[in-house]
Amino acid sequence: MTDKLITPPILGAVTAAELRSWLRDVADNDATLDELISAASETFERETGRAVMEQGRRMMLDNWPVNQAAIGEWDGNRQSAFAQSAARAIELPVAPLIGVTAITLFNADNQAEVIDPSRYYVDTHSEPGRITMVVGGGIPVSGRAVNGIQIDYRAGYESVALVPMPIKLAIKQLAAHFYENRESVTEMTLENAPQSFCATVRRYRIWPGV
């Protein structure tokens, strides 16, 4: 399974003006402060699995996960081997999930087929968000051995107003830390991050399978 950013956020949760005020009106230009905000936001996202602002992402799977305990031994002939009861939900690795743009299957000839959205249900209430097939929808089995299923989805907070204040403060705290310790931007670990930032990371971290 792989997951990558496809469409970056248009806006950041923290502006250069807000960070400048936090730093007590430093003289650095907006471009420099924007770089620090971006680095802090990316660090927060990497450590939590939580997107700060709305972004487009793409997850690739070799095949839909199937619960082996539910289907038992399969002799390769039994037509009911991949029954609806055997399907497991797919968890999207980045939260909060806004919605699924498309699920695409690839056959052995690399030809694409977009699955009808009526065949699956998207759970945007859970964190992480989930996708499961509806009853009677069938399980999508691709014909390509590697990366046969492509899931395009949107994750993050849809507006700056929806971003929790502790996340905004954590980004400003880490950006300020980067400003004061320029060398730590490229060598960032939680061990040398501000304790308040680490506390926010623990609070908002996504725990798959929980």
Side-chain angles (χ1 to χ4, degrees):
M1 185 274 285
T2 61
D3 185 271
K4 63 174 61 176
L5 177 68
I6 300 298
T7 308
I10 298 175
L11 298 174
V14 175
T15 66
E18 289 172 331
L19 180 57
R20 178 174 286 103
S21 176
W22 183 271
L23 293 170
R24 299 182 181 179
D25 297 323
V26 295
D28 299 72
N29 60 40
D30 285 1
T32 298
L33 300 182
D34 283 336
E35 289 177 355
L36 298 176
I37 293 168
S38 179
S41 298
E42 289 179 13
T43 301
F44 177 85
E45 292 180 339
R46 182 182 69 246
E47 296 294 339
T48 62
R50 181 181 296 274
V52 178
M53 296 300 297
E54 180 176 353
Q55 55 193 251
R57 305 193 65 87
R58 175 169 294 165
M59 177 170 141
M60 303 296 297
L61 296 170
D62 292 343
N63 219 319
W64 198 274
V66 175
N67 188 337
Q68 184 63 35
I71 67 176
E73 295 295 329
W74 181 40
D75 58 12
N77 297 313
R78 182 153 44 93
Q79 295 298 315
S80 62
F82 295 108
Q84 171 62 27
S85 61
R88 292 209 315 259
I90 288 178
E91 290 184 340
L92 282 305
V94 178
L97 175 63
I98 297 172
V100 171
T101 306
I103 299 179
T104 306
L105 292 183
F106 294 91
N107 63 21
D109 297 322
N110 290 325
Q111 294 177 323
E113 173 195 357
V114 178
I115 299 178
D116 189 326
S118 65
R119 291 178 57 189
Y120 56 86
Y121 169 73
V122 180
D123 174 13
T124 59
H125 300 284
S126 301
E127 289 191 348
R130 303 177 295 173
I131 305 171
T132 190
M133 304 309 292
V134 301
V135 175
I139 301 175
V141 179
S142 73
R144 192 166 73 181
V146 176
N147 292 333
I149 298 178
Q150 173 180 297
I151 301 175
D152 293 314
Y153 68 100
R154 294 176 298 117
Y157 296 95
E158 296 183 81
S159 70
V160 174
L162 293 176
V163 180
M165 186 56 67
I167 293 180
K168 295 179 183 178
L169 291 176
I171 291 172
K172 285 191 282 189
Q173 289 164 348
L174 188 59
H177 176 78
F178 286 157
Y179 183 85
E180 296 165 359
N181 304 272
R182 303 296 176 97
E183 70 283 355
S184 68
V185 178
T186 56
E187 301 176 358
M188 182 64 200
T189 64
L190 288 187
E191 285 74 15
N192 56 24
Q195 291 186 355
S196 54
F197 175 82
C198 295
T200 304
V201 165
R202 289 192 294 270
R203 176 180 175 183
Y204 285 96
R205 179 174 282 145
I206 301 299
W207 298 100
V210 176

